[in-house]
């Protein structure tokens, strides 16, 4: 996809390359600075693979002090900085540019402390999402946000994108599970935001940082909430004749104030793809599937399920299937969580990530179908239906330039529909490079300028992850931002 | 209390008084502009009554358009603006100054819309907290944050201070129940932040605004979350021999991951005061009382209570008393919620509002006792123990200047102790005027400067509620902030 314009490397910066690398090496010794072109290849893109650029260098610091020195050095020399966790961004949030230094946090992956009395843990942000839960599972706790990529993605990336996951309907997304941050500003200053208590002092800068896509500074440590594991959990499959009925069922469950721990939607193409891959036992004779997970004691699960079943019957549910063993439950979730990967086996796709008010679900499902059909393409819908976070996968053939363009246009139309019904362009994947130019569909000039002014407080020279989030045109100069 | 320094009114502004009032009247006609000194008296202070100043004028707009015009006018003429809800701030957040215009939101109290499909409501911010729940209670929903002053306090004030309440242990504070805002900036620009969906687009400016104490703009409308009322709820009284045992019991309940809907602590003086006022049936032969409320189905409540009772017994609980009727339950809560008022009947007091990591509860209880005794004063402790939000009431005689000073010094020491153990100066009352000069105990210069730079993005001339939150010394000039 060559359709995205990136700023060209500045010749003067390229000339200064050796000087910059020497400076980096003076801060992080040995193999912590990567400049060999072959070794730089893994860093040229992230999970938004359509787009690639080789960075000037990659640095892998091991301490906050090193990050601080790196930021001070890059800030003083006007070198753009791209923070990187595991590089799983679907929106291009970690894609570098030729004149930039990638600061990779992968070596900073320790659990610093666990405090059960507060139900908090302090972790370095290069730790993977799943490793946080793994560290406390033996004591009956877990870290709630669970992106599908949780085996690989890092807490730092989760914070940058305010990631969610299948179970965030009940437990909230990253911002609801984050209490404190250690943040390195572009001039190397280290500030501590929030802490271990519920109400952080001062402005909610932890909240501001969460979802700021690596543009306000580099976070090195995070204080996260730990939650007790439920007594039991049971995913149940509900198959419907039509996607519309399934969508209306979700809207009714929410409207009645029932909050299952997860409520995932898959349409027919998604069911076919995921069942083919995971053999999860999904019903094949339905047009739409909801995976609804309840948790708690047996009595609690029974009571909530009874209410859900009643609503589902009002929407003519065709199949109901409870998982009867831990293995079945795992297979059900494996199918859902591998949806993106499984789709990749049968077609190229772009994965959209929009959010809508849940009451709009039936209307938006119809709209997506209409939009994608109008471009002569196919769509597989899998998403976190309970909290209105949609992931339509638009299928196309990457080797057909016309179809590629159509897929992109269809995707943009879908996101515009989300905005139109009162939702937004991003759910948990972020804006990154992918949706940068759609921001003007969501925000007017006054909104965008106010955001850019806030951004300028942290990084007035646009050195942090600069090509992302805001459209390249219409950016405030630092004099205006000030 | 004359110990707090306020900026003196600017002579040039006073001379311009007539001109300013004429300008205000051109925007809000008739009785909406108050300038008669007698009528201004109710606006000279809030619930932090030790401190009073009569404002230049009070304006009571009825529409966002009027608020926008008022802000544009005040911004252009350099007139400070004090936003005001119901004036229930315990920290002096709504106290005016002589050169300022109070913009009171009390006439903007409509429910704009209710959307059960999304479980959201849009309200004007002058509506009282309880009126929001009242509007949806017939349909089985409620708005969760419940400050003790909920009958009087407004949603706008709740947002400004990020208010909590007894039940926020389970449901979170204001920021966790707020999805969108209509905000008027100092130059009159109206921006819409967030919306009806879970994940707001762009930076989390809704989060930044929540708790910003009326310094970033005037919020006129809010989109709040509605929650389903629980099937049943049961407050249970647990009386302990010592405050330390009660504190340790709370810490253990949290550490085991049990989340009751509320967990309120009262020490012996607080029990005496509240029981004397409310006849709630609190046990009088114990030194500390926990009001723990569980909710859900009978089976759920029984199951959670059994776990809590087990922990309480490990801490040698002396009395356990379940409420046996709705009337008893109401009396239990009436006692707790009237704690401040009931205390006011027997002594003057200053009400502290600090937050600590819950694991520190036993240590802090001991510390408070030691501090207050060292000043020869008495303290009554009532607080939201479950989420570590403390409200020690330090009792003193307002007519004894020495005792008054001691109470203030003791209060400051208590808040410093909260900071020292990793907590913070404020829970839900805000910094206001009261804790302005303690901010340097919480934050270093780098932290405060970063906050002031963020503030300057919204109001670079310090016109919004200017004398609050940040110490008067060390404020950034707009040139530095820029």
């Amino acid at each position: 996809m060559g359709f995205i314009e990136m700023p060209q490397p500045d010749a003067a910066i390229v000339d200064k390359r050796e000087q910059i690398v020497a400076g980096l090496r003076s801060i992080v010794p040995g193999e912590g600075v990567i400049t060999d072109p072959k070794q730089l290849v893994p860093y040229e893109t992230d999970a938004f693979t359509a787009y690639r650029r080789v960075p000037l260098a990659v640095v892998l610091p091991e301490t906050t002090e090193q990050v601080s020195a790196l930021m001070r050095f890059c800030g003083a020399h006007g070198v753009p900085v791209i923070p990187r966790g595991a590089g799983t961004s679907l929106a291009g949030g970690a894609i570098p540019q030729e004149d930039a230094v990638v600061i990779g946090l992968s070596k900073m992956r320790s659990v610093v402390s666990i405090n059960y009395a507060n139900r908090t843990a302090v972790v370095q942000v290069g730790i993977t999402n799943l490793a946080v839960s793994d560290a406390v599972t033996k004591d009956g706790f877990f870290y709630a946000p669970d992106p599908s990529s949780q085996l690989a993605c890092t807490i730092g990336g989760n914070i940058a994108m305010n990631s969610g996951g299948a179970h965030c309907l009940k437990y909230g997304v990253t911002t609801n599970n984050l209490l404190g941050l250690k943040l390195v500003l572009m001039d190397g200053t280290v500030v501590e935001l929030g802490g271990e208590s519920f109400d952080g002092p001062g402005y909610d800068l932890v909240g501001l940082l969460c979802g700021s896509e690596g543009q306000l500074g580099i976070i090195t440590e995070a204080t996260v909430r730990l939650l007790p594991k439920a007594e039991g959990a049971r995913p149940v499959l509900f198959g419907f004749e039509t996607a519309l009925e399934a969508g209306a069922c979700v809207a009714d469950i929410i409207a009645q104030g029932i909050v299952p721990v997860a409520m995932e939607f898959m349409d027919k193409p998604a069911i076919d793809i995921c069942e083919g891959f995971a053999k999860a036992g999904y019903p094949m004779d339905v047009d739409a599937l909801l995976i609804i997970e309840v948790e708690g004691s047996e009595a609690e699960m029974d009571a909530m399920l009874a209410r859900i079943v009643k609503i589902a019957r009002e929407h003519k549910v065709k199949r109901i299937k409870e998982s009867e063993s831990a293995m079945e439950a795992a297979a059900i979730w494996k199918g859902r969580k591998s949806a993106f990967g499984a789709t990749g086996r049968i077609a190229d796709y772009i994965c959209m990530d929009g959010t809508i008010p849940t009451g709009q679900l039936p209307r938006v499902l119809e709209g997506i179908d209409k939009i994608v059909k109008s471009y002569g393409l196919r769509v597989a819908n899998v998403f976190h239906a309970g909290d209105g976070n949609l992931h339509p996968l638009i299928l196309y053939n990457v080797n057909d330039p016309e179809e590629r363009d159509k897929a992109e246009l269809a995707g943009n139309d879908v996101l515009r529909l989300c905005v139109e019904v009162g939702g937004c362009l991003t759910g948990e994947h972020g804006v990154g490079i992918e949706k940068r130019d759609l921001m003007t569909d969501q925000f007017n000039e006054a909104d965008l300028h106010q955001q850019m002014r806030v951004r300028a407080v942290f990084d007035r020279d646009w050195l942090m992850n600069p090509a992302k989030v805001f459209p390249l045109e219409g950016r405030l100069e630092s004099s205006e931002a000030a």
Side-chain angles (χ1 to χ4, degrees), chain A:
Chain A
M1 290 195 229
F3 49 82
I4 288 171
E5 189 191 343
M6 283 282 274
Q8 290 306 307
D10 183 317
I13 296 278
V14 174
D15 290 345
K16 289 202 303 187
R17 190 190 152 101
E18 286 313 309
Q19 188 191 336
I20 291 165
V21 170
L24 301 176
R25 287 199 199 282
S26 74
I27 298 166
V28 178
E31 294 183 348
V33 177
I34 301 169
T35 57
D36 174 21
K38 269 183 215 151
Q39 286 184 286
L40 288 176
V41 169
Y43 297 93
E44 68 178 4
T45 188
D46 54 23
F48 186 58
T49 52
Y51 189 79
R52 290 156 204 273
R53 284 284 171 93
V54 178
L56 190 157
V58 172
V59 196
L60 305 174
E62 297 185 36
T63 65
T64 297
E65 291 66 36
Q66 287 182 345
V67 174
S68 166
L70 289 168
M71 291 285 270
R72 197 163 49 241
F73 175 81
C74 290
H77 292 80
V79 180
V81 167
I82 314 291
R84 184 181 178 102
T88 57
S89 173
L90 287 159
I95 291 179
Q97 55 195 55
E98 283 90 341
D99 60 350
V101 169
V102 170
I103 298 187
L105 282 306
S106 55
K107 290 190 174 178
M108 295 179 65
R109 53 171 184 253
S110 306
V111 174
V112 178
S113 63
I114 296 172
N115 186 339
Y116 289 123
N118 294 333
R119 290 197 289 122
T120 54
V122 179
V123 297
Q124 290 185 313
V125 298
I127 193 170
T128 64
N129 173 291
L130 199 58
V132 178
S133 286
D134 282 348
V136 294
T137 190
K138 67 177 191 314
D139 298 303
F141 288 85
F142 72 112
Y143 173 67
D146 62 336
S148 295
S149 58
Q150 65 185 142
L151 195 64
C153 66
T154 65
I155 292 294
N158 291 178
I159 295 170
M161 297 317 198
N162 190 17
S163 305
H167 293 80
C168 67
L169 173 58
K170 178 168 177 186
Y171 295 114
V173 293
T174 301
T175 195
N176 308 112
N177 292 278
L178 184 67
L179 295 176
L181 294 176
K182 189 175 281 187
L183 173 73
V184 183
L185 299 177
M186 198 60 235
D187 66 359
T189 311
V190 179
V191 288
E192 303 227 11
L193 306 176
E196 286 208 310
S197 63
F198 269 94
D199 286 293
Y203 293 132
D204 183 12
L205 298 184
V206 174
L208 181 66
L209 262 290
C210 190
S212 63
E213 306 205 13
Q215 295 202 314
L216 303 187
I218 291 189
I219 297 163
T220 58
E221 284 183 18
T223 306
V224 299
R225 295 178 70 178
L226 303 176
L227 295 180
K229 284 193 282 191
E231 217 173 314
R234 213 188 291 162
V236 182
L237 300 171
F238 292 84
F240 293 83
E241 291 279 4
T242 68
L244 223 59
E245 287 286 6
C249 179
V250 167
D252 272 5
I253 290 170
I254 293 293
Q256 294 197 21
I258 304 170
V259 184
V261 68
M263 195 146 49
E264 298 287 301
F265 175 98
M266 300 169 86
D267 65 5
K268 181 66 177 160
I271 299 168
D272 291 346
I273 291 166
C274 293
E275 179 66 18
F277 175 76
K279 312 282 184 264
Y282 298 156
M284 302 299 289
D285 59 345
V286 296
D287 251 28
L289 183 65
L290 296 178
I291 305 172
I292 301 182
E293 183 160 284
V294 293
E295 64 172 28
S297 66
E298 288 299 318
E300 282 165 11
M301 292 193 285
D302 287 345
M304 185 177 276
L305 261 181
R307 295 182 65 193
I308 293 170
V309 166
K310 184 169 174 286
I311 297 170
R313 289 204 201 284
E314 287 162 16
H315 292 282
K316 306 187 197 99
V317 63
K318 194 173 166 187
R319 298 266 175 270
I320 299 180
K321 188 185 166 196
E322 287 191 33
S323 67
E324 277 160 13
S325 67
M327 227 164 67
E328 264 188 43
I332 285 175
W333 280 116
K334 186 184 168 199
R336 167 59 189 90
K337 291 210 174 187
S338 57
F340 296 176
T343 304
R345 301 195 319 160
I346 64 143
D348 305 304
Y349 67 92
I350 49 172
C351 168
M352 311 314 295
D353 169 47
T355 309
I356 58 165
T358 47
Q360 298 286 349
L361 199 53
R363 174 177 164 194
V364 171
L365 279 174
E366 263 193 318
I368 291 173
D369 190 57
K370 212 165 141 184
I371 288 167
V372 177
K373 274 193 184 140
S374 77
Y375 286 96
L377 296 174
R378 288 179 306 148
V379 64
N381 281 300
V382 291
F383 45 75
H384 314 310
D387 52 0
N389 184 193
L390 314 185
H391 295 309
L393 304 174
I394 300 176
L395 312 182
Y396 72 102
N397 176 358
V398 77
N399 295 317
D400 177 340
E402 202 186 331
E403 204 166 87
R404 200 189 62 191
D405 289 350
K406 279 183 181 171
E408 201 220 339
L409 293 171
N412 290 350
D413 286 354
V414 167
L415 293 178
R416 286 194 191 98
L417 174 63
C418 292
V419 173
E420 193 187 309
V421 302
C424 78
L425 285 178
T426 65
E428 52 188 359
H429 300 175
V431 176
I433 288 182
E434 184 200 15
K435 287 182 272 195
R436 190 178 67 187
D437 295 323
L438 284 170
M439 286 285 274
T440 50
D441 285 291
Q442 179 92 59
F443 296 107
N444 64 27
E445 196 179 272
D447 295 333
L448 284 172
H449 282 186
Q450 192 66 0
Q451 289 181 53
M452 285 190 262
R453 284 186 204 104
V454 172
R455 186 195 188 291
V457 168
F458 293 81
D459 170 31
R460 60 184 300 173
D461 299 324
W462 286 86
L463 292 176
M464 290 295 307
N465 221 3
K468 321 288 169 64
V469 183
F470 295 98
L472 297 186
E473 281 188 27
R475 289 191 169 185
L476 293 183
E477 297 294 319
S478 45
S479 59
E480 298 171 85

